[in-house]
C-alpha cells in the first residue's frame, strides 16, 4: 500500500524523513563534468513534471516533458535528459563550479556534490520559511590521473560501464515509490515545485558541494541556490 | 470479486492507461534502437495527446505492429507483451540481444488511486524506461548499426521466451506499478555473451560497398524468425494503412484535482476527434511527423521534382524529413510559416498540434516559391492538386494521399499495386527483388525502384547488385530513407538528398578492377626492395617522429 510520510514537524531533525542515496565515481579530470551531469540529469528526469496549469475547482492539468539523448565526449556513455535548456544550464553551472573548486583546492581530487530535494514550509513572521529535505543524492567524486593514452581509453569504457550501473541504481530507488510531496494546491505549488522554468517543473532542489582535503576533512562548503530563493523574512 | 471494488469508470480508465502504456513502452524501446539520438520538445501547455505527460513520438508502423501483437488484449498474468531486439549481420546471421517484458502479476493494490497515482507512476516508469534503454549493451550496438549489421525488433504477446539470449543472460528491472488489478512490471533480459561480436569489431571495419552511412539510419523491422510465432500476415495491408489514426491519437486530457483527495477528476476527451475534418487536420501533423523520417521521396531522378526534402526544425533535434513534393502548394501544409530562401523549417511546435497549428497548417505559405513545380504524374498527386489551391481543400484526401505514400515505403506489395508512379527508393539494391516473400513477415520491404527511370540508374543498379554480396541477403530490413542532415531545399530544385541518390552508385573505378589491380600489384611488389632501402636510410628520422608521438 502506498505510504505517505508527512514532512517532519518543525524542530524535529530534518534528516529524519529524508531519503539519502550515495553514489561514488572515480573519474579522470576531464570526465568529471559529464559523469556528474549524467547522474543529476537522470535524477531530475524522474523528479520533474510538466508545468502545472491550475483551473477552476482545484483541478490542474500538466504540460508535457520532452526528452533528449546526450552523448558524452570523454566517456563511452549516453544518457537521457529532460528537454529544458534552462535546467541544463543551471546544472552545468553548478557542476562547473564544483569542478573548478576541485581543481583549485589543491586536494587529492576528492569531493562530493549533492542534489537535495526539499519542501518549503511557510512559517509565521518573524520566522523564516523552513526548507525540509525529503530526498538527498550525494555523488562522491574521486579524480584519478592517468599516465597514457591506453589507460585513458580503458577509463572511457570503464567509467561508461560504471555509469550504466549508477543509472540502474537510480532507477531502482525511483521505483520504490517512496515518499513524494503531496500534489500541492495552487497557493502551495511554489513550496513543492520550482515553477521558475518555462517548460518543465522540477521539484524544488538545491545543489551543494564539498571538497575534501587530503586529510579527509571537509574544507569548503558552498551552498548555491539555483532557484529563486525563499524569502528571508 | 476482485474487481468489485473498482468502479467501472476506474476500470475503464485503468485499461486504457495500460493499453497506452504498452504502446508507449514499445515506442520507447524501438526508438532507442534505431541508432539515432532522440529528441522531443517539452511543452508547457498541455496538448491533450501526450500520454503520461511525456513527449514520446508515435511511429505509426510500430504502433501498428504493437496493436497487432496485442490483438486487443492487455498484458495479464501469463500474457506478457515482449519486445525482442535482435541483431542481424550482413551475412544473414542473427542473434537475439534483448527481450523487454511488460508483465502483470497477481499482486493487487486496492487502495491506489487509478486516475492519479497509477497514471503518474506509469509516467515515472516510462521515464525509467527511457533511462534504462540507454544503458544495456544493445544501445551502443544499435548506435553503430548500418555497416555490418542492423538491429531488428519483434513484438509478441504471450509467454516470455528467453532461450534465445544465450547462457548467463542478465536481467534488469525497469520498475513496477501496482494497480487494483495487478502489478505491472517492466524488465529487460539481455544477452551478455557477445563473444563473437564486440562493438569494437564493428567500429574498425570500414563500411561495406562504399556507401556513406553518416546519416544512415536503419529502421528496425520485425524479423521473421521461425522460432517465434509472429502473427503478422502478409497481404493485409491495403491502401488505408493504419486506419486507426484517431484511435492512436486519443486525447488524454488529464485533469488532476488537489481538493478532497477522493475526488480525482480525470477526463479522457475525444472532443477533438468528433468531426472528421478536425480529426484529420489535427492528427495530420502527428503521423507525418512520426513517419516523416521514413518518408519516401517522390521525385524521379532526372526531372528533379521540387521540394522533395525538407528538414525539420533543428530545434526538434530530430532529423525529420518531409516529403512535400507532391505539388507546390502542398509542402506548405506540412510546414509552419517560413522565411525567405528555401524550405522553412518546422516551427518549434510539439509533435501534437493545437488548434492554432491546424489553422497555420492549412494556409499556404507566402513568399516561398518552388521552381519546376510540376507535380509528378501519380494519381494521388492529381487528387491533391485538384482538391485544393490556396486552402486546405479536402484534408481527408490529403491525409489519404499521405498514407498512400507511406504505404509504398513499407508495404510488401509490388509497386503497381500502389498508386505511386515515381517511387524512388535509395539503397534499393538491398530490397528483395521479388516482392512476395516467403516469410509472412515483411513489414518493410519496399517495392523495387523503377529501373526505367533513367538509363544511368539502370546500369548502376545492375553493376552494383552483381558486386554486392550483401545486398540479396537483406530480406528483413530495408534502408528506408536517406536523410542528409542540414540539407535544406533551396530555390534550386535539386537538393542534397536527390543529388546524393543520383550519384550514389558511380561506376567502378578502373583502377579497382581486377586486371589493372593485378598489374599494379606486380609493379608494387617489384618496387618494394627499393622502397625498403630508402626507408632504411631514413630510419632515424622515423624513430624521432615516433618519439614525439608518445
Amino acid at each position: 500500500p502506498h505510504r505517505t510520510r508527512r514532512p517532519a514537524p518543525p524542530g524535529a531533525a530534518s534528516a529524519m524523513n529524508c531519503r539519502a542515496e550515495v553514489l561514488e565515481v572515480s573519474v579522470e579530470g576531464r570526465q568529471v563534468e559529464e559523469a556528474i551531469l549524467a547522474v543529476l540529469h537522470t535524477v531530475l528526469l524522474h523528479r520533474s513534471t510538466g508545468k502545472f496549469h491550475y483551473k477552476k475547482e482545484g483541478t490542474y492539468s500538466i504540460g508535457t516533458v520532452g526528452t533528449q539523448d546526450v552523448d558524452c565526449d570523454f566517456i563511452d556513455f549516453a544518457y537521457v535528459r529532460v528537454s529544458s535548456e534552462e535546467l541544463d544550464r543551471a546544472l552545468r553551472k553548478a557542476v562547473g563550479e564544483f569542478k573548478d573548486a576541485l581543481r583549485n583546492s589543491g586536494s587529492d581530487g576528492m569531493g562530493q556534490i549533492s542534489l537535495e530535494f526539499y519542501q518549503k514550509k511557510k512559517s509565521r513572521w518573524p520566522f523564516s520559511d523552513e526548507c525540509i529535505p525529503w530526498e538527498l543524492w550525494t555523488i562522491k567524486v574521486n579524480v584519478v590521473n592517468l599516465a597514457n593514452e591506453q589507460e585513458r581509453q580503458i577509463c572511457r569504457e570503464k567509467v561508461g560501464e560504471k555509469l550504466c550501473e549508477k543509472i540502474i541504481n537510480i532507477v531502482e530507488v525511483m521505483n520504490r515509490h517512496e515518499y513524494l510531496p503531496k500534489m500541492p494546491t495552487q497557493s502551495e505549488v511554489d513550496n513543492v515545485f520550482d515553477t521558475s522554468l518555462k517548460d518543465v517543473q522540477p521539484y524544488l532542489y538545491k545543489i551543494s558541494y564539498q571538497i575534501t582535503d587530503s586529510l579527509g576533512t571537509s574544507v569548503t562548503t558552498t551552498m548555491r541556490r539555483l532557484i529563486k530563493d525563499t524569502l528571508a523574512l | 470479486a476482485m474487481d468489485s471494488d473498482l468502479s467501472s469508470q476506474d476500470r475503464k480508465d485503468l485499461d486504457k492507461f495500460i493499453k497506452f502504456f504498452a504502446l508507449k513502452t514499445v515506442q520507447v524501446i524501438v526508438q532507442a534502437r534505431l541508432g539515432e539520438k532522440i529528441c522531443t520538445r517539452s511543452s508547457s501547455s498541455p496538448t491533450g495527446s501526450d500520454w503520461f505527460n511525456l513527449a514520446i513520438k508515435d511511429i505509426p508502423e510500430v504502433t501498428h505492429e504493437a496493436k497487432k501483437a496485442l490483438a486487443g488484449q492487455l498484458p495479464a498474468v501469463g500474457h506478457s507483451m515482449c519486445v525482442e531486439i535482435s541483431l542481424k549481420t550482413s551475412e544473414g546471421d542473427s542473434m537475439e540481444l534483448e527481450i523487454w517484458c511488460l508483465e502483470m502479476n497477481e499482486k493487487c493494490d486496492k487502495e491506489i488511486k487509478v486516475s492519479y497515482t497509477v497514471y503518474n507512476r506509469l509516467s515515472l516508469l516510462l521515464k525509467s524506461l527511457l533511462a534504462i534503454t540507454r544503458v544495456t549493451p544493445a544501445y551502443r550496438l544499435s548506435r553503430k548499426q548500418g555497416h555490418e549489421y542492423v538491429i531488428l525488433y519483434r513484438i509478441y504477446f504471450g509467454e516470455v521466451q528467453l532461450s534465445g539470449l544465450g547462457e548467463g543472460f542478465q536481467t534488469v528491472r525497469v520498475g513496477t506499478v501496482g494497480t487494483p488489478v495487478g502489478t505491472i512490471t517492466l524488465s529487460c533480459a539481455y544477452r551478455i555473451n557477445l563473444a563473437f561480436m564486440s562493438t569494437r569489431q564493428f567500429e574498425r571495419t570500414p563500411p561495406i560497398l562504399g556507401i556513406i552511412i553518416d546519416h544512415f539510419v536503419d529502421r528496425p523491422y520485425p524479423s521473421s524468425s521461425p522460432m517465434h510465432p509472429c502473427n503478422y500476415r502478409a497481404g493485409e495491408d491495403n491502401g488505408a494503412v493504419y486506419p486507426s489514426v484517431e484511435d492512436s491519437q486519443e486525447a488524454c486530457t488529464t485533469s488532476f484535482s488537489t481538493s478532497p483527495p477522493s475526488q480525482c477528476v480525470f477526463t479522457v476527451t475525444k472532443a477533438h476527434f468528433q468531426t472528421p475534418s478536425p480529426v484529420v487536420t489535427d492528427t495530420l501533423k502527428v503521423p507525418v511527423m512520426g513517419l516523416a523520417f521514413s518518408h519516401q521521396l517522390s521525385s524521379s531522378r532526372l526531372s528533379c521534382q521540387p521540394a522533395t526534402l525538407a528538414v525539420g526544425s533543428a530545434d526538434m533535434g530530430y532529423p525529420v524529413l518531409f516529403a512535400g513534393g507532391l505539388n507546390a502548394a502542398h509542402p506548405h501544409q506540412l510546414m509552419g510559416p517560413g522565411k525567405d530562401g528555401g524550405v522553412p523549417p518546422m516551427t518549434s511546435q510539439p509533435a501534437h498540434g493545437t488548434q492554432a497549428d491546424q489553422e497555420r497548417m492549412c494556409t499556404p505559405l507566402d513568399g516561398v516559391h518552388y521552381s519546376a513545380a510540376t507535380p509528378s504524374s501519380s494519381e494521388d498527386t492529381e487528387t491533391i492538386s485538384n482538391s485544393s489551391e490556396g486552402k486546405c481543400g479536402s484534408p481527408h484526401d490529403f491525409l489519404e494521399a499521405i498514407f498512400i505514400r507511406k504505404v509504398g515505403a513499407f508495404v510488401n506489395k509490388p509497386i503497381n499495386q500502389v498508386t505511386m508512379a515515381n517511387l524512388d527508393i535509395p539503397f534499393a539494391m538491398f530490397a528483395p527483388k521479388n516482392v512476395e516473400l516467403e516469410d509472412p513477415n515483411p513489414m518493410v520491404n519496399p517495392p523495387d525502384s523503377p529501373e526505367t527511370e533513367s538509363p544511368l540508374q539502370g546500369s548502376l543498379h545492375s553493376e552494383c547488385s552483381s558486386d554486392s554480396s550483401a545486398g540479396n541477403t537483406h530480406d528483413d530490413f530495408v534502408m528506408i530513407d536517406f536523410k542528409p542532415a542540414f540539407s535544406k531545399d533551396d530555390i534550386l530544385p535539386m537538393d542534397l538528398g536527390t543529388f546524393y541518390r543520383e550519384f550514389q552508385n558511380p561506376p567502378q573505378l578502373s583502377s579497382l578492377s581486377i586486371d589493372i589491380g593485378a598489374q599494379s600489384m606486380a609493379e608494387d611488389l617489384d618496387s618494394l626492395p627499393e622502397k625498403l632501402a630508402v626507408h632504411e636510410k631514413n630510419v632515424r628520422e622515423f624513430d624521432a617522429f615516433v618519439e614525439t608521438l608518445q
Side-chain angles (χ1 to χ4, degrees):
Chain A
H2 176 66
R3 274 174 297 142
T4 309
R5 263 187 272 169
R6 301 175 146 277
S14 61
M16 209 191 284
N17 283 335
C18 176
R19 184 163 59 241
E21 304 293 331
V22 179
L23 304 160
E24 295 191 41
V25 289
S26 283
V27 291
E28 217 202 338
R30 60 187 188 163
Q31 296 172 322
V32 167
E33 285 178 275
E34 288 181 335
I36 298 174
L37 282 169
V39 170
L40 295 180
H41 269 303
T42 301
V43 172
L44 277 161
L45 169 68
H46 290 81
R47 292 288 179 247
S48 300
T49 75
K51 300 278 294 175
F52 281 12
H53 297 274
Y54 286 91
K55 304 185 282 212
K56 54 191 188 312
E57 297 151 13
T59 61
Y60 61 96
S61 57
I62 306 181
T64 300
V65 172
T67 57
Q68 59 190 71
D69 278 308
V70 181
D71 286 341
C72 294
D73 294 323
F74 303 112
I75 313 175
D76 288 345
F77 185 71
Y79 60 94
V80 175
R81 70 168 173 91
V82 165
S83 287
S84 166
E85 293 314 308
E86 284 175 277
L87 185 63
D88 189 39
R89 268 199 303 271
L91 295 186
R92 282 178 185 277
K93 186 159 177 254
V95 174
E97 286 178 17
F98 172 65
K99 181 182 171 171
D100 291 339
L102 261 185
R103 203 174 30 213
N104 300 335
S105 68
S107 74
D108 280 349
M110 281 185 59
Q112 62 183 50
I113 182 167
S114 299
L115 170 64
E116 175 191 292
F117 292 101
Y118 65 96
Q119 274 176 277
K120 270 193 267 186
K121 189 166 160 52
K122 296 250 184 266
S123 302
R124 291 188 195 281
W125 184 90
F127 302 105
S128 59
D129 296 337
E130 275 187 85
C131 293
I132 302 166
W134 52 271
E135 190 171 77
L136 176 66
W137 297 85
T138 302
I139 308 167
K140 293 195 165 154
V141 178
N142 179 31
V143 180
V144 298
N145 291 314
L146 299 177
N148 62 41
E149 202 51 46
Q150 193 186 14
E151 282 187 24
R152 282 198 197 98
Q153 179 61 33
I154 295 174
C155 192
R156 278 184 73 101
E157 293 165 17
K158 283 267 174 277
V159 172
E161 287 168 23
K162 281 287 169 197
L163 283 176
C164 290
E165 289 172 27
K166 304 303 167 200
I167 302 305
I168 295 175
N169 294 344
I170 293 170
V171 163
E172 253 173 359
V173 172
M174 298 299 178
N175 181 56
R176 287 185 212 149
H177 299 305
E178 291 174 337
Y179 174 74
L180 284 179
K182 204 160 62 109
M183 284 300 147
T185 58
Q186 189 165 14
S187 55
E188 292 280 303
V189 69
D190 289 309
N191 294 338
V192 174
F193 286 103
D194 176 358
T195 55
S196 67
L197 302 171
K198 70 177 186 342
D199 44 13
V200 295
Q201 192 174 287
Y203 282 102
L204 281 175
Y205 70 92
K206 53 174 92 133
I207 297 181
S208 57
Y209 58 84
Q210 292 177 322
I211 308 297
T212 318
D213 71 3
S214 32
L215 296 175
T217 57
S218 148
V219 218
T220 357
T221 302
T222 310
M223 201 69 132
R224 291 283 306 176
R225 288 188 187 277
L226 296 176
I227 45 107
K228 279 195 204 131
D229 290 329
T230 54
L231 299 170
L233 254 187
Chain B
M2 196 184 290
D3 296 336
S4 59
D5 295 337
L6 200 60
S7 78
S8 78
Q9 181 58 43
D10 270 352
R11 183 64 208 249
K12 261 176 54 184
D13 287 344
L14 183 60
D15 285 348
K16 188 177 284 257
F17 294 171
I18 295 176
K19 169 184 164 189
F20 282 96
F21 179 76
L23 296 178
K24 289 293 183 182
T25 292
V26 175
Q27 289 289 348
V28 169
I29 294 167
V30 171
Q31 288 175 28
R33 297 288 175 264
L34 293 181
E36 59 185 19
K37 286 165 73 163
I38 304 295
C39 179
T40 58
R41 283 191 89 89
S42 301
S43 162
S44 70
S45 327
T47 57
S49 48
D50 291 325
W51 275 96
F52 308 106
N53 308 119
L54 284 173
I56 298 172
K57 287 202 170 71
D58 284 318
I59 302 175
E61 294 72 29
V62 173
T63 301
H64 184 66
E65 278 298 301
K67 284 182 172 171
K68 278 190 140 179
L70 288 171
Q73 301 174 74
L74 291 176
V77 179
H79 291 89
S80 311
M81 187 186 76
C82 300
V83 182
E84 173 193 292
I85 300 293
S86 55
L87 177 152
K88 185 160 179 176
T89 67
S90 51
E91 278 106 40
D93 298 318
S94 74
M95 178 169 72
E96 281 174 41
L97 297 177
E98 301 172 320
I99 314 274
W100 296 83
C101 307
L102 178 59
E103 302 172 280
M104 186 77 118
N105 72 33
E106 286 144 348
K107 189 167 154 206
C108 300
D109 184 342
K110 296 295 181 67
E111 312 292 311
I112 204 168
K113 293 270 179 296
V114 167
S115 60
Y116 172 67
T117 310
V118 172
Y119 190 82
N120 286 336
R121 287 186 181 178
L122 288 174
S123 176
L124 198 68
L125 187 52
L126 276 175
K127 291 172 178 174
S128 296
L129 182 64
L130 282 162
I132 297 286
T133 43
R134 275 63 178 175
V135 306
T136 53
Y139 181 72
R140 299 201 58 221
L141 279 175
S142 69
R143 291 290 299 268
K144 296 183 169 75
Q145 67 182 294
H147 289 42
E148 292 205 350
Y149 62 89
V150 288
I151 304 292
L152 310 173
Y153 77 92
R154 183 168 79 89
I155 308 170
Y156 63 90
F157 188 73
E159 267 186 50
V160 180
Q161 292 156 355
L162 299 178
S163 50
L165 293 174
E167 282 183 19
F169 64 83
Q170 295 206 348
T171 312
V172 60
R173 184 145 90 156
V174 182
T176 63
V177 173
T179 79
V181 303
T183 299
I184 296 166
T185 66
L186 186 53
S187 60
C188 174
Y190 59 95
R191 169 187 286 273
I192 53 170
N193 181 12
L194 289 164
F196 74 92
M197 32 178 80
S198 69
T199 51
R200 268 190 237 120
Q201 176 186 329
F202 294 111
E203 274 167 282
R204 279 198 285 265
T205 315
I208 48 174
L209 304 172
I211 292 175
I212 300 166
I213 311 274
D214 292 6
H215 306 291
F216 169 77
V217 175
D218 181 59
R219 299 287 158 255
Y221 293 104
S223 76
S224 57
S225 163
M227 296 187 295
H228 305 295
C230 186
N231 51 358
Y232 186 99
R233 292 186 296 272
E236 285 203 339
D237 305 285
N238 48 38
V241 175
Y242 318 128
S244 55
V245 167
E246 301 89 58
D247 184 36
S248 69
Q249 292 309 320
E250 277 179 53
C252 55
T253 322
T254 57
S255 292
F256 298 92
S257 171
T258 53
S259 43
S262 55
Q263 174 195 343
C264 290
V265 175
F266 177 77
T267 54
V268 177
T269 61
K270 280 194 167 188
H272 293 311
F273 305 102
Q274 271 155 15
T275 54
S277 315
V279 168
V280 170
T281 49
D282 191 35
T283 58
L284 177 63
K285 221 177 191 166
V286 178
V288 171
M289 294 283 274
L291 72 89
F293 56 78
S294 55
H295 217 102
Q296 282 304 300
L297 303 171
S298 65
S299 67
S300 70
R301 291 198 165 201
L302 289 183
S303 63
C304 301
Q305 286 294 312
T308 51
L309 282 175
V311 179
S313 160
D315 293 335
M316 296 292 299
Y318 189 84
V320 159
L321 226 52
F322 296 96
L326 306 173
N327 180 297
H330 293 282
H332 309 175
Q333 295 191 1
L334 299 177
M335 297 174 255
K339 309 198 187 344
D340 302 327
V343 169
M346 197 72 201
T347 53
S348 52
Q349 291 289 337
H352 306 274
T354 59
Q355 199 62 32
D357 288 344
Q358 296 175 27
E359 269 134 30
R360 198 196 330 256
M361 262 168 34
C362 289
T363 313
L365 297 167
D366 301 322
V368 180
H369 299 286
Y370 295 90
S371 56
T374 53
S376 56
S377 59
S378 55
E379 277 173 29
D380 54 337
T381 312
E382 305 283 350
T383 312
I384 288 175
S385 59
N386 291 338
S387 69
S388 80
E389 272 301 331
K391 48 179 184 166
C392 262
S394 164
H396 189 64
D397 289 343
F398 184 54
L399 182 62
E400 212 171 66
I402 289 290
F403 278 138
I404 289 172
R405 288 204 160 273
K406 190 178 63 170
V407 161
F410 301 115
V411 127
N412 175 30
K413 274 181 162 37
I415 194 171
N416 53 21
Q417 290 185 29
V418 180
T419 56
M420 287 163 66
N422 297 329
L423 184 61
D424 190 2
I425 307 155
F427 307 108
M429 68 175 91
F430 293 109
K433 295 300 176 201
N434 56 329
V435 184
E436 301 83 36
L437 301 179
E438 288 96 2
D439 293 318
N441 189 20
M443 173 141 166
V444 282
N445 295 295
D448 296 336
S449 78
E451 300 206 43
T452 53
E453 277 297 307
S454 74
L456 192 66
Q457 167 71 8
S459 62
L460 292 177
H461 267 323
S462 58
E463 276 209 25
C464 286
S465 49
S466 61
D467 287 340
S468 114
S469 58
N472 295 331
T473 60
H474 288 198
D475 286 328
D476 288 344
F477 85 95
V478 160
M479 299 184 215
I480 291 305
D481 205 349
F482 177 64
K483 328 176 295 186
F486 313 114
S487 156
K488 280 204 192 286
D489 190 5
D490 299 324
I491 308 297
L492 292 177
M494 174 101 89
D495 65 291
L496 182 60
T498 320
F499 173 82
Y500 180 76
R501 279 180 11 267
E502 278 277 355
F503 299 108
Q504 68 175 347
N505 296 316
Q508 280 277 7
L509 291 177
S510 58
S511 58
L512 293 181
S513 71
I514 307 267
D515 298 339
I516 299 180
Q519 276 174 24
S520 60
M521 172 99 113
E523 281 164 19
D524 284 344
L525 284 175
D526 288 339
S527 66
L528 265 183
E530 278 172 50
K531 288 189 183 153
L532 280 174
V534 169
H535 292 323
E536 277 279 332
K537 261 175 48 188
N538 299 329
V539 70
R540 246 192 238 132
E541 280 180 49
F542 288 126
D543 284 344
F545 174 65
V546 169
E547 286 289 318
T548 66
L549 289 176
Q550 277 176 351

